[in-house]
Amino acid sequence: MPITVDIDVMLARRKMSVGELADRVGITPANLAVLKNGRAKAVRFATLAALCEVLACQPGDLLRWEAEAEAEAEAEDAAADG
């Protein structure tokens, strides 16, 4: 999937836990983990808007597109660093 989710980056910048973000957004920690780990196939605009409101950011701070080759190379690098 060429869309990368950078929720971890924003959580670190805001010094916020996944559980706290899930509570404040109104979704389960399990559903937030699916989104955060890039396993989600879709995200509702209402959820995206709530994430942006709680994290005081723009959608582009949470989502970015990268070419398939770049995404695969990053995944391989992350697996090697493991």
Side-chain angles (χ1 to χ4, degrees), residues 3-16:
I3 301 295
T4 301
V5 181
D6 289 327
I7 290 176
D8 283 339
V9 174
M10 294 307 298
L11 283 172
R13 287 182 183 166
R14 302 298 186 255
K15 296 179 174 61
M16 188 181 299

Side-chain angles (χ1 to χ4, degrees), residues 12-81:
R13 287 182 183 166
R14 302 298 186 255
K15 296 179 174 61
M16 188 181 299
S17 70
V18 172
E20 180 183 353
L21 179 60
D23 285 343
R24 292 178 63 183
V25 169
I27 62 176
T28 66
N31 283 341
L32 182 58
V34 167
L35 180 60
K36 183 175 80 69
N37 295 323
R39 295 188 314 259
K41 298 294 181 198
V43 61
R44 290 188 170 136
F45 281 167
T47 302
L48 183 58
L51 287 165
C52 290
E53 182 176 352
V54 170
L55 293 170
C57 66
Q58 295 293 314
D61 296 326
L62 300 177
L63 304 172
R64 65 185 157 87
W65 176 87
E66 42 180 58
E68 286 286 339
E70 291 175 28
E72 289 173 11
E74 282 186 17
E76 289 173 5
D77 288 346
D81 292 341

